[in-house]
Amino acid sequence: MYASVKSSAVLGIDAYLVDVEVDIQYKVPSFTVVGLPDNAVKESRERVTSAIKNSGYPFPQGKITINLAPADIRKEGSSFDLPMAIAIIAANGYISIDRLTNFVFIGELGLNGSVASTRGVLPMTISARDDGIANIIVPAENIREAAIVGINAYPVEKLQDAIDIIEGKSPISPYHLDVKEVFKLDQSIKYLDFSDVRGQEHAKRALEIAASGAHNMLMIGPPGSGKTMLARRFPSILPTMTLEEALETTKIHSVAGILPSEISLLTHRPFRSPHHTISDAGLIGGGAYPRPGEVSLAHNGVLFLDELPEFKRNVLEVLRQPIEDAVVTIARAAITLSFPARFMLVAAMNPCPCGYFGDPYHECKCSLTQVKNYRAKISGPLLDRIDMHIEVPSVPFNKLAGKPTGESSDEIRARVIEARFRQQHRFRGMKGIYANAHMTTRSIRRFCKLSPDGEDILKIAITRLGLSARAYDRILKLSRTIADLEGTDDILPHHLAEAVQYRSLDREYWV
């Protein structure tokens, strides 16, 4: 006897439909799974057998062959348990095969027939919708991410629930979510506030510019000057993601298996802060069957690297390509996958091993050789890809002891949103460009035209500081953002002057 049901599998951050075909021949009992299954799929034989029996259905005694088509793409994970069980029960005559045609099944089975959560449900649901499937049955824990797509998503807690839905005997109705309501919930998220930070007005201004144009930033200063404190408040001034950005970011977290069950859509920008002991595979992604790394989990958000020189040199160097291309390509013998990685890099470091080089309040105990070796851990090509280099000096006592006088995050965020709105209007119809930092060389030439006075300032700066062609483009992008914050269409000389001074610290510290 034969039956076929539809399931789905993840490839990178996208998914594709899989036909789970079951054939039962009454010969010597056996259970075979073909179609390039990995170990987790092969082990489903025991889970499916026990789940069917413990759900009150007889298990067919014969040769059972399950094919996962297309058979030339590797299948992994435990999400095929539920469709396998449904197909076997249908082939055994206990479910009407005609009722299976417009359903997609996803879920891991327990030995008692319970349905457990699985990763990648969001891209699987999007794949089902795009292929014209009207209904999807998913684990109850994954229902919120499935419901956001807009098709009939049914939550099930056990195998019998899925069978009752197919037969029309279940009181379970499709779970629906309002996307607008989901985005409203973002307003209730409580962030750390910039009003807590004493002093450091220059650094706050730089962070506002970085948020407005999605620029990368490096903060240099002694211990305790507030670098980490500033970075952790950075998300509070970032604008809410668009629906397109939210779906793309949520897909990555769903595939990685770190999307909380109570979250249907990530509407706030992710903030990832890996420890400096992380490996290059952990940062970029990898594995025999590649998984997204921290740079992809920070997609459309912030990647914060504290104590930057403490990261291994090879780990930092692999950041070059994703910073430049906003995508990570991981090649393995069996497969090559690409993961999006458009993030804002915010890094912090001390100026020397002891941390007090140039600090007026503490004596530096490092030799000149130690200082140079410490700074040499950050290569020139990586430094060149960071738009802004900011000095964060120690805060004097009178500012620490006084009353807070700085602006709140809400006040800063309002200006950031206004600047982003100007950029969205400017880049409308241009695919893949959401902020000034994303501009290509062609769009820079179009939107960053300078006056003769501005060209003179930039020529002097490039010549005296010895900046590269890449730094030239980044200064233009930065000056465009400063002009947007001021609400002007033209890049004026003082916009360029401010942008240039955000590039000067790297030469002062590294030469």
Side-chain angles (χ1 to χ4, degrees):
M1 299 182 69
Y2 172 86
S4 175
V5 303
K6 292 191 179 295
S7 186
S8 187
V10 172
L11 187 65
I13 67 164
D14 296 312
Y16 60 96
L17 288 184
V18 174
D19 290 318
V20 180
E21 301 176 301
V22 171
D23 180 67
I24 302 175
Q25 300 290 332
Y26 291 100
K27 299 179 179 180
V28 177
S30 65
F31 194 136
T32 306
V33 181
V34 297
L36 285 183
D38 72 348
N39 289 334
V41 179
K42 292 177 181 177
E43 290 175 356
S44 64
R45 293 175 297 187
E46 284 70 27
R47 294 193 298 271
V48 169
T49 301
S50 297
I52 291 175
K53 292 179 179 179
N54 289 323
S55 297
Y57 294 90
F59 193 82
Q61 298 301 309
K63 180 182 179 183
I64 301 174
T65 304
I66 297 181
N67 178 43
L68 305 177
D72 61 339
I73 303 178
R74 180 180 173 85
K75 318 298 187 306
E76 65 160 4
S78 57
S79 62
F80 297 107
D81 290 3
L82 180 59
M84 284 183 185
I86 294 292
I88 290 173
I89 294 172
N92 207 23
Y94 289 91
I95 300 176
S96 174
I97 295 177
D98 294 338
R99 294 179 176 269
L100 301 174
T101 55
N102 208 24
F103 281 92
V104 169
F105 301 90
I106 299 167
E108 175 186 331
L109 289 176
L111 299 182
N112 62 349
S114 60
V115 180
S117 63
T118 187
R119 66 177 67 188
V121 168
L122 178 60
M124 292 178 185
T125 308
I126 293 174
S127 174
R129 180 199 64 187
D130 294 344
D131 281 275
I133 307 297
N135 308 290
I136 187 168
I137 293 178
V138 301
E141 292 182 39
N142 298 117
I143 187 59
R144 291 187 65 84
E145 56 178 303
I148 202 71
V149 176
I151 66 174
N152 294 327
Y154 294 88
V156 295
E157 295 183 351
K158 55 184 183 293
L159 175 58
Q160 186 61 52
D161 291 342
I163 297 173
D164 290 343
I165 291 171
I166 297 167
E167 296 291 341
K169 301 176 182 178
S170 174
I172 300 174
S173 57
Y175 191 96
H176 294 290
L177 281 174
D178 186 345
V179 176
K180 293 182 179 179
E181 291 298 322
V182 172
F183 270 90
K184 283 182 181 179
L185 292 176
D186 182 68
Q187 306 302 321
S188 64
I189 297 175
K190 299 297 181 184
Y191 295 100
L192 298 172
D193 200 279
F194 265 95
S195 61
D196 301 329
V197 182
R198 308 292 181 93
Q200 305 299 7
E201 302 305 326
H202 176 63
K204 292 179 188 177
R205 164 69 176 172
L207 285 165
E208 180 181 339
I209 295 170
S212 299
H215 300 286
N216 302 320
M217 180 174 168
L218 171 64
M219 294 182 285
I220 311 168
S225 58
K227 303 184 296 296
T228 303
M229 188 177 186
L230 287 163
R232 294 199 178 278
R233 283 155 179 76
F234 188 49
S236 67
I237 63 173
L238 295 176
T240 302
M241 288 192 286
T242 64
L243 178 59
E244 182 181 354
E245 289 177 312
L247 281 172
E248 196 170 47
T249 305
T250 307
K251 281 168 64 176
I252 298 171
H253 285 245
S254 177
V255 168
I258 61 172
L259 187 68
S261 59
E262 69 275 9
I263 298 294
S264 55
L265 194 67
L266 288 176
T267 56
H268 58 282
R269 299 184 183 274
F271 181 87
R272 306 294 299 183
S273 179
H275 193 261
H276 63 260
T277 55
I278 192 172
S279 66
D280 52 355
L283 188 64
I284 296 298
Y289 199 84
R291 295 287 186 193
E294 289 292 332
V295 296
S296 295
L297 295 175
H299 182 61
N300 289 322
V302 180
L303 178 67
F304 176 48
L305 301 183
D306 202 3
E307 304 297 341
L308 189 65
E310 301 302 328
F311 286 79
K312 295 177 182 177
R313 179 68 178 260
N314 66 304
V315 173
L316 293 179
E317 292 308 301
V318 297
L319 281 173
R320 291 192 201 177
Q321 186 251 345
I323 290 177
E324 199 73 22
D325 300 335
V327 67
V328 171
T329 301
I330 303 171
R332 294 292 182 266
I335 193 170
T336 298
L337 295 177
S338 294
F339 298 105
R342 174 173 281 164
F343 56 88
M344 283 176 279
L345 175 64
V346 177
M349 63 174 289
N350 296 329
C352 67
C354 78
Y356 295 113
F357 180 84
D359 183 37
Y361 305 104
H362 300 84
E363 180 183 355
C364 177
K365 299 179 181 179
C366 304
S367 67
L368 185 59
T369 301
Q370 287 177 313
V371 174
K372 287 185 176 180
N373 290 340
Y374 184 75
R375 295 172 184 171
K377 294 180 180 180
I378 315 300
S379 68
L382 176 60
L383 195 65
D384 215 26
R385 287 168 167 82
I386 300 177
D387 305 46
M388 308 173 71
H389 313 108
I390 308 301
E391 185 176 15
V392 185
S394 298
V395 182
F397 175 78
N398 62 328
K399 290 190 176 181
L400 287 174
K403 293 182 179 180
T405 57
E407 292 181 297
S408 68
S409 292
D410 289 341
E411 293 174 288
I412 300 173
R413 188 171 187 258
R415 295 195 295 270
V416 170
I417 292 174
E418 186 176 348
R420 283 287 184 106
F421 179 78
R422 293 177 64 88
Q423 293 165 50
Q424 290 171 8
H425 179 74
R426 178 183 303 124
F427 303 132
R428 65 187 184 279
M430 302 180 69
K431 188 175 181 181
I433 301 181
Y434 304 105
N436 288 330
H438 307 155
M439 284 192 289
T440 62
T441 302
R442 180 175 295 181
S443 53
I444 290 173
R445 300 297 175 261
R446 177 181 175 185
F447 298 117
C448 300
K449 295 179 181 178
L450 303 179
S451 65
D453 290 342
E455 289 181 353
D456 290 341
I457 291 174
L458 196 52
K459 180 181 178 181
I460 294 171
I462 294 295
T463 304
R464 290 186 178 179
L465 296 175
L467 300 179
S468 66
R470 181 182 290 111
Y472 172 83
D473 283 349
R474 293 185 181 273
I475 288 174
L476 288 176
K477 293 178 184 180
L478 203 55
S479 58
R480 177 69 269 170
T481 300
I482 295 170
D484 288 338
L485 273 171
E486 197 173 289
T488 62
D489 293 328
D490 298 325
I491 298 177
L492 303 177
H494 68 275
H495 300 147
L496 269 170
E498 183 175 0
V500 167
Q501 62 97 11
Y502 290 129
R503 295 291 308 191
S504 61
L505 256 185
D506 58 330
R507 303 301 164 184
E508 179 181 324
Y509 271 86
W510 265 262
V511 174

